[in-house]
Amino acid sequence: MSTTIAQRVEAIRKYLADNNLDAFLLPTADPHLGEYQPENAHRVTWLSGFHGENCMVVITKDTAGIFVDGRFTVQVKQQVPADIFQYLHINNDCHLNWTMDNLSAGARIAVDASLFGISWYKNAEKAFTGKGFEIVSLQENPVDLFWEDRPAAPSSAIELFQNAGQSSVEKRHLLAKRLQEKELDATLLTQPEDTNWLVNIRGSDIPYVRSVLSFGLFKNNGELELFIDTARLPEGFADHAGEGVNVYDITALFSVLPEKISADQRIQLDPAQTNAGLFNLLHDAGVSVVEDMNLCARARVCKNEKEIEGMKAAHIQDGIAMCRFLAWVDREVEAGNPNDEETLAAKLLEFRQGVEGFIAPSFPSISALGSNAAIVHYNHDPKNCRKLGSDGMYLIDSGGHYNNANGVSGTTDITRTIKVGNATDEERRMVTLVMRSHISLASARFMPGTTGVQLDTVTRQPMWKEGFNFDHGTGHGIGHFLSVHEFPPRINPSNNCGAMEPGMCVTNEPGFYKEDGFGIRLENVEVVREVTGTAASMLELEAITYTPFDKRLLVAEQMRDDEIEWLNNYHAQVFEKIAPSLNKQDKTWLEQATSPLTRG
Amino acid sequence: MSTTIAQRVEAIRKYLADNNLDAFLLPTADPHLGEYQPENAHRVTWLSGFHGENCMVVITKDTAGIFVDGRFTVQVKQQVPADIFQYLHINNDCHLNWTMDNLSAGARIAVDASLFGISWYKNAEKAFTGKGFEIVSLQENPVDLFWEDRPAAPSSAIELFQNAGQSSVEKRHLLAKRLQEKELDATLLTQPEDTNWLVNIRGSDIPYVRSVLSFGLFKNNGELELFIDTARLPEGFADHAGEGVNVYDITALFSVLPEKISADQRIQLDPAQTNAGLFNLLHDAGVSVVEDMNLCARARVCKNEKEIEGMKAAHIQDGIAMCRFLAWVDREVEAGNPNDEETLAAKLLEFRQGVEGFIAPSFPSISALGSNAAIVHYNHDPKNCRKLGSDGMYLIDSGGHYNNANGVSGTTDITRTIKVGNATDEERRMVTLVMRSHISLASARFMPGTTGVQLDTVTRQPMWKEGFNFDHGTGHGIGHFLSVHEFPPRINPSNNCGAMEPGMCVTNEPGFYKEDGFGIRLENVEVVREVTGTAASMLELEAITYTPFDKRLLVAEQMRDDEIEWLNNYHAQVFEKIAPSLNKQDKTWLEQATSPLTRG
């Protein structure tokens, strides 16, 4: 392994020397800057051996560094040869300064700008040129020149999506109006979720996301210039998408896009979602670039009635699988069978695969026993993980994509923390507090205009009153058979992305983590809807996840009447929706799991 | 009256003609742009006869307009002659457009820039020049040339304030550090509250505020250039303020300030608090103007221990007066005496005047019976107002300034809504909801960094859950024997002014208003303090107002256990603090008023 890595690093160094360059910076990213990348974009892995996320590699003529975050400090040492790479921390060590410290004045630092965000590029350019270095934006990625067994580009089947509830023509008509209102000529679409939503297609080009990789330039006359793998477009696509969609092969993006824009245009892009290569292209063409939050996403995330129906149907299917799984876990615990985090996660996937409409997991499950649950982003090692038997609690955070012709269509994300042994008083107290925070948001009502930052504070009140907090956001948007993380909305302490609007789907997932002790998270998906019949206009959140919370971990005496009432009403609804699909044994389990919580 | 007004308007028109000008714009403001103005700044009243707030007068060669807000649409017709002025609405009618519509192209529009804010001036300049008009910044205010019986400038005694808890030298040392951190050479102080706080003086130059009018240029070496009425500075001022305070007469501000600044300096000012005349002066001198929130205010509003002790002592005095008043009202209602809104307000002032340390009211009392309380900014007419007898509820919003050598030192602001007749079920339901919203904030805890916008949402949850809202902020900062409205903090739905910090004093005043029906507001002052002994750092609000809420208007069955517990604890504290200072009759009343609220 180390020999191969050494050869690859040397190949890059030769490229640098041949091209009068002194360093090369490579991040784990593809040109969409999304959460997941296709295999042919795993350049960091090819070059360093590292398989984790959120990494930056720096190669100079005589040294190399790999920057990873706290989740990967152990893993990097196992995967990346220490004789070639220096291990560094991506937050504590500044990779820009480290690069410059290892170069002589005047050095030329090469990057593939299409893999970096705009703000990174601007910062790097300022830092480098400010100290007499030069940043060189390459026209090719040197890794691609030497990567012999590089995986092919994604080739998933493109589906003409039938459960959208709105035609592409109609969506484009409404979005064009928004552009006109803002006096924009066009908006640049860099997120596959946007282009896929806009022309009503789906695919599986990258893990856990139901999209086909593509870019778009959407114009204020309703036309879309769509950059996609044209060879894969199925018969009937033109009719399905309707008039005004012009397709080009995605590989021609950087050559064709300049022909579609002109210096007199105002084009909006989202600086957080656009790579510096595209930004530089627009900038060089003299376009007036308007940096603003993704306009297409703002339309997309407010789901229509058909999409909300599909989400609810998907959550009923998911609830059936979850209830079967939780009933099974109780039986396994009772029987004393030594399941571990891996077999538990596998069994849940099996239950999901057993319900109609299930397509794929929406993200890697977090299956964590005991103290492992205190690691928020815990990723169990299938060969060496905790077993049932010695821990009081088990945390399972998972979800699925669902889609079929019966109107089941959507994406789920659920976390439950359940009793699998002797839970301590401290554990039960903290589960009760997290439950109360969950209910605080679930039962909130708010005026139009209220933001996720405001709702985050409402959520945390029960925990804050007892002096506890959790160090992650309360919730994120969730897509409609697209991606499990959608932006906007966000419910968190600071990242304000505008008001909560009807039709948005969002998770409600407060937690509590005691290092080396235990971890708790209780998560439902909720949809924002209007309250009817009140004096002032109000919005509220309707829970569309249908799975019981574990009452055995709740201390009723530490809950308020209205909180117990919320929980009992929720559980009654879960029973009503899920019971008809369960066998007798599981139905009996659900009856008990959803029976009213009472005091004393 | 009308003849005089006509003569004055004609004098301005002659001035315009003599100076080749076509229009003159005059707002109700002085150069500090504060809430209240001294009498010699009441130019709008002199010119138009109008006595209200928030007004703009426009005089052209052949027409005149007066722009007022919704509170004054009736009053303006009574006070301002219709044959001279056209009545307009300051929000619905754009005074800039109206001015231009009444002028010919190329007209020259005159203003006294020292009476306008920066953003108004920039907008007006853009609007006027964009349509071919010219804005002319006058060196003199024409009203002052013709105002023969103009009142003298304020002449209140300047007090060397002893209850500050921190010397001027120390305050300036700390503030200088903040400037150095921000790489600022100086900050421009335009609010008398800041200059008065910084050199530890007080006065009463303008109504309801305990300050001496003054400006300052505070430098990063700790020196203050203080512009003030030097003739009034008392003996010992130099020793009291300490080294580094250089005084100049306030009338010389515009001539001396240019000598104190230079083109190589970075000077911070708060654009919301600085007049355009001063801004233009700095701009013309080539200074790098840094527009940022008032730095001195951020230090001032976080009160030190001595200031907080003073505030608490002042609130005990105020509580004694309030309890005596409320007990008296109950007796008067019982006796059937026909007090009206004016006699009630006068009696409360009499009770305040009867306690040690009382100096003056901190704002005009709102004394409102029945449906009058539905008008948020109600101002009763002493000669024609509602009487006790036919209404169920009475709202009294009032406050005082307190100061003496025994450490009583601070400002109060309290609103109570009390039963004075047959309250309806609807009224009791809404009082209970407002009380629950008040308690929601009063019992909140929050992480450092939490803003007033976030806390506003926590406050409103009880009302929002039932579909009700109130159309004003939840709370404002309150000064320490300075002004009753202090910024920051603000607790409201949108106006974000940073995090809540320990030592800030803030009001908690949710309400509910039913037009032509009734009005409710329940207001305490609270101080932000750190919670001790919790796992995560937390802040909370300690109520420092000591006066019972009227239990007779609360429906215990509609309150949660924890809310009733908060109220009973609060009332126990009120009794403990106030009872020792009451006579037997009033103590009996307080005992009953603060006895525990119970259900059924």
Side-chain angles (χ1 to χ4, degrees):
Chain A
M1 177 71 168
S2 187
T3 312
T4 314
I5 298 296
Q7 286 164 347
R8 291 169 184 174
V9 169
E10 281 313 311
I12 298 298
R13 287 195 172 125
K14 184 167 184 312
Y15 173 89
L16 292 177
D18 291 349
N19 290 277
N20 187 29
L21 298 166
D22 301 288
F24 176 58
L25 271 63
L26 182 72
T28 45
D30 75 0
H32 304 283
L33 308 182
E35 194 171 356
Y36 301 103
Q37 296 85 37
E39 280 195 13
N40 73 336
H42 291 176
R43 296 181 180 93
V44 163
T45 309
W46 177 85
L47 182 57
S48 70
F50 181 66
H51 281 267
E53 304 151 30
N54 190 28
C55 167
M56 178 75 73
V57 161
V58 181
I59 310 282
T60 73
K61 282 175 179 170
D62 42 32
T63 188
I66 185 162
F67 295 75
V68 300
D69 71 34
R71 293 171 293 168
F72 299 108
T73 47
V74 174
Q75 183 178 327
V76 71
K77 289 177 190 165
Q78 295 161 349
Q79 297 176 333
V80 178
D83 55 339
I84 302 177
F85 284 90
Q86 193 176 332
Y87 307 130
L88 296 136
H89 195 288
I90 202 161
N91 299 325
N92 305 343
D93 306 309
C94 173
H95 63 274
L96 299 180
N97 288 340
W98 187 89
T99 303
M100 293 188 285
D101 289 346
N102 283 284
L103 295 174
S104 310
R108 287 160 50 83
I109 302 163
V111 299
D112 175 350
S114 75
L115 304 182
F116 291 94
I118 296 172
S119 68
W120 181 92
Y121 194 90
K122 286 180 180 172
N123 282 344
E125 191 170 32
K126 195 176 161 191
F128 290 160
T129 59
K131 297 207 171 156
F133 298 89
E134 189 183 343
I135 187 164
V136 179
S137 182
L138 302 173
Q139 295 305 303
E140 61 198 354
N141 193 308
V143 167
D144 303 354
L145 302 176
F146 307 111
W147 191 351
E148 286 177 6
D149 52 348
R150 188 178 176 199
S155 60
S156 70
I158 299 180
E159 176 192 348
L160 303 181
F161 188 56
Q162 300 302 323
N163 291 330
Q166 198 177 20
S167 72
S168 170
V169 170
E170 202 181 338
K171 288 177 180 178
R172 286 184 280 119
H173 176 71
L174 292 172
L175 186 57
K177 270 197 183 166
R178 290 202 183 197
L179 265 66
Q180 291 158 21
E181 283 162 17
K182 290 180 171 270
E183 298 181 0
L184 294 167
D185 291 292
T187 178
L188 187 67
L189 306 179
T190 64
Q191 303 303 293
E193 289 86 340
D194 287 317
T195 40
N196 282 248
W197 173 81
L198 202 51
V199 297
N200 291 330
I201 59 171
R202 295 293 190 271
S204 56
D205 280 1
I206 46 174
Y208 306 112
V209 180
R210 304 309 302 174
S211 69
V212 184
L213 293 183
S214 43
F215 286 94
L217 181 76
F218 179 74
K219 303 190 287 190
N220 70 5
N221 63 357
E223 280 186 30
L224 174 68
E225 313 288 5
L226 179 64
F227 297 85
I228 196 165
D229 180 1
T230 51
R232 277 192 284 151
L233 282 175
E235 217 174 319
F237 170 76
D239 281 351
H240 180 74
E243 252 184 55
V245 177
N246 312 312
V247 296
Y248 311 90
D249 200 72
I250 191 168
T251 54
L253 175 64
F254 278 82
S255 56
V256 171
L257 190 57
E259 300 165 12
K260 304 297 173 189
I261 58 179
S262 60
D264 60 344
Q265 290 183 319
R266 275 167 53 85
I267 300 183
Q268 179 268 332
L269 55 77
D270 190 325
Q273 301 178 334
T274 306
N275 73 57
L278 281 170
F279 178 83
N280 292 344
L281 186 156
L282 264 64
H283 186 262
D284 295 347
V287 161
S288 296
V289 172
V290 178
E291 297 190 16
D292 197 2
M293 201 187 289
N294 187 333
L295 284 176
C296 183
R298 286 213 75 88
R300 168 169 55 83
V301 300
C302 294
K303 294 166 183 63
N304 62 42
E305 276 182 39
K306 169 114 182 173
E307 289 172 321
I308 293 172
E309 278 173 31
M311 288 290 277
K312 287 184 180 177
H315 278 83
I316 288 178
Q317 297 306 94
D318 205 57
I320 296 166
M322 277 298 296
C323 288
R324 286 175 180 160
F325 170 70
L326 294 175
W328 171 84
V329 173
D330 274 8
R331 294 194 297 269
E332 292 289 292
V333 169
E334 180 75 18
N337 292 338
N339 291 283
D340 64 16
E341 292 164 344
E342 170 60 14
T343 57
L344 290 167
K347 191 71 185 181
L348 173 54
L349 179 58
E350 200 183 305
F351 279 116
R352 282 209 168 93
Q353 286 164 334
V355 294
E356 201 195 325
F358 179 76
I359 303 288
S362 54
F363 61 97
S365 295
I366 296 174
S367 172
L369 276 162
S371 59
N372 285 342
I375 303 161
V376 176
H377 292 278
Y378 179 64
N379 205 341
H380 68 269
D381 175 353
K383 290 167 200 148
N384 178 26
C385 55
R386 288 183 86 88
K387 279 188 178 54
L388 284 175
S390 59
D391 298 312
M393 301 197 297
Y394 171 61
L395 182 154
I396 174 78
D397 184 352
S398 65
H401 291 295
Y402 293 82
N403 190 41
N404 71 12
N406 300 332
V408 171
S409 174
T411 300
T412 72
D413 185 355
I414 174 172
T415 310
R416 288 295 181 269
T417 306
I418 63 168
K419 185 175 183 300
V420 291
N422 294 319
T424 65
D425 284 350
E426 184 191 11
E427 286 170 333
R428 297 183 75 223
R429 177 193 177 196
M430 294 314 301
V431 172
T432 306
L433 260 186
V434 174
M435 187 78 243
R436 293 182 59 218
S437 279
H438 180 99
I439 295 171
S440 187
L441 177 59
S443 63
R445 284 185 169 180
F446 44 100
M447 297 276 285
T450 303
T451 67
V453 171
Q454 290 165 284
L455 293 182
D456 182 84
T457 310
V458 171
T459 311
R460 291 176 202 258
Q461 272 308 295
M463 293 186 66
W464 283 1
K465 282 194 184 177
E466 310 253 333
F468 298 103
N469 188 42
F470 54 96
D471 196 15
H472 58 71
T474 292
H476 57 80
I478 178 166
H480 174 246
F481 195 53
L482 272 171
S483 53
V484 77
H485 293 140
E486 186 165 271
F487 180 91
R490 279 288 180 280
I491 300 181
N492 62 14
S494 58
N495 186 356
N496 203 342
C497 51
M500 302 288 288
E501 287 179 51
M504 284 178 168
C505 291
V506 66
T507 64
N508 172 356
E509 47 179 313
F512 182 76
Y513 310 91
K514 181 176 177 177
E515 203 178 336
D516 300 324
F518 56 88
I520 300 157
R521 192 160 57 255
L522 301 177
E523 175 186 31
N524 273 359
V525 172
E526 296 164 349
V527 55
V528 181
R529 67 176 184 191
E530 287 169 12
V531 181
T532 52
T534 50
S537 295
M538 289 290 158
L539 300 174
E540 65 183 358
L541 297 162
E542 177 187 353
I544 61 172
T545 296
Y546 308 111
T547 298
F549 294 97
D550 195 339
K551 286 185 301 168
R552 297 166 300 186
L553 294 172
L554 297 175
V555 187
E557 290 70 21
Q558 292 168 10
M559 293 175 73
R560 297 194 317 236
D561 291 350
D562 59 306
E563 293 164 342
I564 291 175
E565 189 185 346
W566 182 93
L567 187 76
N568 289 342
N569 286 342
Y570 172 73
H571 277 165
Q573 202 187 14
V574 170
F575 185 81
E576 184 193 316
K577 303 257 188 206
I578 304 299
S581 304
L582 300 183
N583 64 23
K584 201 179 164 193
Q585 185 184 32
D586 289 343
K587 197 182 288 185
T588 302
W589 176 89
L590 186 63
E591 203 165 5
Q592 179 275 324
T594 59
S595 68
L597 178 70
T598 52
R599 292 209 187 90
Chain B
M1 179 69 167
S2 186
T3 312
T4 315
I5 298 296
Q7 287 165 346
R8 291 168 184 175
V9 170
E10 281 314 311
I12 297 299
R13 286 194 173 124
K14 184 165 184 312
Y15 174 88
L16 293 177
D18 291 349
N19 290 277
N20 188 27
L21 298 166
D22 301 289
F24 177 59
L25 271 63
L26 182 72
T28 45
D30 75 1
H32 303 283
L33 308 182
E35 193 172 356
Y36 302 102
Q37 296 85 37
E39 280 194 17
N40 72 336
H42 290 176
R43 296 182 180 91
V44 163
T45 308
W46 177 85
L47 183 57
S48 70
F50 181 65
H51 280 268
E53 304 152 30
N54 190 28
C55 166
M56 178 76 73
V57 162
V58 182
I59 310 281
T60 73
K61 283 177 179 168
D62 40 35
T63 188
I66 184 161
F67 296 75
V68 301
D69 71 33
R71 294 172 292 168
F72 298 107
T73 47
V74 173
Q75 182 178 327
V76 71
K77 289 177 190 165
Q78 295 162 347
Q79 296 177 334
V80 178
D83 55 338
I84 303 177
F85 284 91
Q86 193 177 331
Y87 306 130
L88 296 136
H89 194 289
I90 203 160
N91 299 324
N92 305 343
D93 307 308
C94 172
H95 62 274
L96 299 179
N97 288 340
W98 187 89
T99 303
M100 292 188 285
D101 289 346
N102 282 285
L103 294 174
S104 310
R108 287 161 50 85
I109 302 163
V111 300
D112 175 351
S114 75
L115 303 183
F116 291 94
I118 296 173
S119 66
W120 182 92
Y121 194 90
K122 285 180 180 171
N123 282 343
E125 190 169 33
K126 196 176 160 191
F128 289 158
T129 58
K131 297 208 171 157
F133 297 89
E134 191 183 341
I135 188 165
V136 179
S137 182
L138 302 173
Q139 295 306 305
E140 61 198 355
N141 192 308
V143 167
D144 303 354
L145 303 177
F146 307 111
W147 191 352
E148 287 177 4
D149 52 348
R150 188 178 176 198
S155 59
S156 70
I158 299 180
E159 175 191 348
L160 302 180
F161 189 56
Q162 301 302 323
N163 291 329
Q166 199 177 18
S167 72
S168 170
V169 171
E170 201 181 339
K171 288 178 180 177
R172 285 184 281 119
H173 176 70
L174 293 171
L175 186 58
K177 270 197 183 165
R178 290 202 184 197
L179 264 65
Q180 290 158 21
E181 283 161 17
K182 290 181 172 270
E183 298 181 1
L184 294 167
D185 292 291
T187 178
L188 187 67
L189 305 178
T190 64
Q191 303 303 291
E193 289 86 341
D194 287 316
T195 40
N196 282 250
W197 173 80
L198 202 51
V199 296
N200 290 330
I201 58 171
R202 295 294 190 272
S204 55
D205 280 2
I206 46 175
Y208 306 113
V209 180
R210 304 309 303 176
S211 69
V212 185
L213 293 183
S214 43
F215 288 92
L217 181 75
F218 179 73
K219 303 191 288 189
N220 70 5
N221 64 355
E223 278 185 31
L224 174 67
E225 314 287 4
L226 178 65
F227 297 85
I228 195 166
D229 180 2
T230 50
R232 277 192 284 152
L233 282 176
E235 217 175 320
F237 170 76
D239 281 349
H240 179 75
E243 253 183 55
V245 176
N246 312 311
V247 296
Y248 311 90
D249 201 74
I250 192 167
T251 54
L253 175 65
F254 279 82
S255 56
V256 172
L257 190 57
E259 299 166 13
K260 303 298 172 189
I261 59 179
S262 61
D264 60 344
Q265 290 184 319
R266 275 166 53 84
I267 300 183
Q268 180 268 332
L269 55 77
D270 190 326
Q273 301 178 334
T274 306
N275 72 58
L278 281 170
F279 178 83
N280 293 344
L281 185 156
L282 264 65
H283 187 263
D284 294 347
V287 161
S288 296
V289 172
V290 178
E291 298 190 15
D292 197 2
M293 202 187 288
N294 187 333
L295 283 176
C296 184
R298 286 213 75 89
R300 168 169 54 85
V301 300
C302 294
K303 293 165 183 64
N304 61 42
E305 275 181 41
K306 169 114 181 173
E307 288 172 322
I308 293 171
E309 277 172 32
M311 288 290 276
K312 287 183 179 176
H315 278 82
I316 289 176
Q317 297 306 95
D318 205 57
I320 296 166
M322 277 298 296
C323 288
R324 286 175 181 161
F325 170 70
L326 294 175
W328 172 83
V329 173
D330 274 8
R331 294 194 298 269
E332 291 290 293
V333 169
E334 181 74 18
N337 291 338
N339 291 282
D340 65 16
E341 292 164 343
E342 169 61 15
T343 57
L344 289 166
K347 191 73 183 179
L348 173 54
L349 179 59
E350 199 183 305
F351 279 116
R352 281 208 168 92
Q353 285 164 336
V355 295
E356 200 194 327
F358 179 75
I359 303 289
S362 53
F363 61 97
S365 295
I366 296 174
S367 172
L369 276 163
S371 59
N372 285 342
I375 303 161
V376 175
H377 292 278
Y378 178 65
N379 204 340
H380 68 270
D381 175 354
K383 289 168 199 146
N384 178 24
C385 56
R386 287 183 86 88
K387 279 188 176 57
L388 284 173
S390 58
D391 298 311
M393 301 198 298
Y394 171 61
L395 183 154
I396 174 79
D397 185 351
S398 65
H401 292 295
Y402 293 83
N403 190 42
N404 71 13
N406 300 333
V408 171
S409 174
T411 300
T412 71
D413 185 357
I414 175 173
T415 311
R416 288 296 181 270
T417 306
I418 63 168
K419 185 175 183 299
V420 292
N422 294 319
T424 65
D425 285 351
E426 183 191 12
E427 286 170 333
R428 297 183 75 222
R429 177 194 176 193
M430 294 314 302
V431 172
T432 306
L433 261 187
V434 174
M435 187 76 243
R436 294 182 58 218
S437 278
H438 181 99
I439 295 170
S440 187
L441 176 59
S443 63
R445 283 185 169 180
F446 45 99
M447 298 274 285
T450 302
T451 67
V453 170
Q454 290 165 284
L455 293 182
D456 182 85
T457 310
V458 172
T459 312
R460 290 176 203 259
Q461 273 307 296
M463 292 186 66
W464 283 1
K465 282 195 184 177
E466 309 252 334
F468 298 103
N469 188 42
F470 55 95
D471 196 15
H472 59 70
T474 292
H476 57 80
I478 178 166
H480 174 246
F481 196 54
L482 272 172
S483 53
V484 77
H485 294 138
E486 186 165 271
F487 180 91
R490 280 287 180 279
I491 300 181
N492 61 15
S494 58
N495 186 356
N496 203 341
C497 52
M500 302 288 289
E501 287 179 53
M504 284 179 168
C505 292
V506 66
T507 64
N508 173 355
E509 48 178 314
F512 181 76
Y513 310 91
K514 181 177 177 177
E515 201 177 336
D516 299 326
F518 56 87
I520 300 157
R521 193 161 56 253
L522 302 177
E523 176 186 30
N524 272 359
V525 171
E526 295 164 350
V527 56
V528 181
R529 66 175 186 194
E530 287 169 12
V531 180
T532 52
T534 51
S537 294
M538 290 289 159
L539 301 174
E540 66 183 357
L541 297 163
E542 177 187 352
I544 61 172
T545 297
Y546 308 110
T547 297
F549 294 97
D550 194 339
K551 286 185 299 166
R552 298 167 299 186
L553 294 173
L554 297 175
V555 186
E557 290 71 21
Q558 292 168 11
M559 294 175 74
R560 297 194 317 238
D561 291 350
D562 59 307
E563 293 164 341
I564 291 175
E565 190 185 345
W566 182 93
L567 187 76
N568 289 341
N569 287 341
Y570 172 72
H571 277 165
Q573 203 186 12
V574 170
F575 185 81
E576 186 194 316
K577 304 257 187 206
I578 304 300
S581 305
L582 299 183
N583 66 23
K584 200 178 165 196
Q585 184 184 33
D586 290 342
K587 198 182 287 183
T588 303
W589 175 89
L590 186 63
E591 203 164 6
Q592 180 276 325
T594 59
S595 69
L597 179 69
T598 52
R599 291 209 188 89

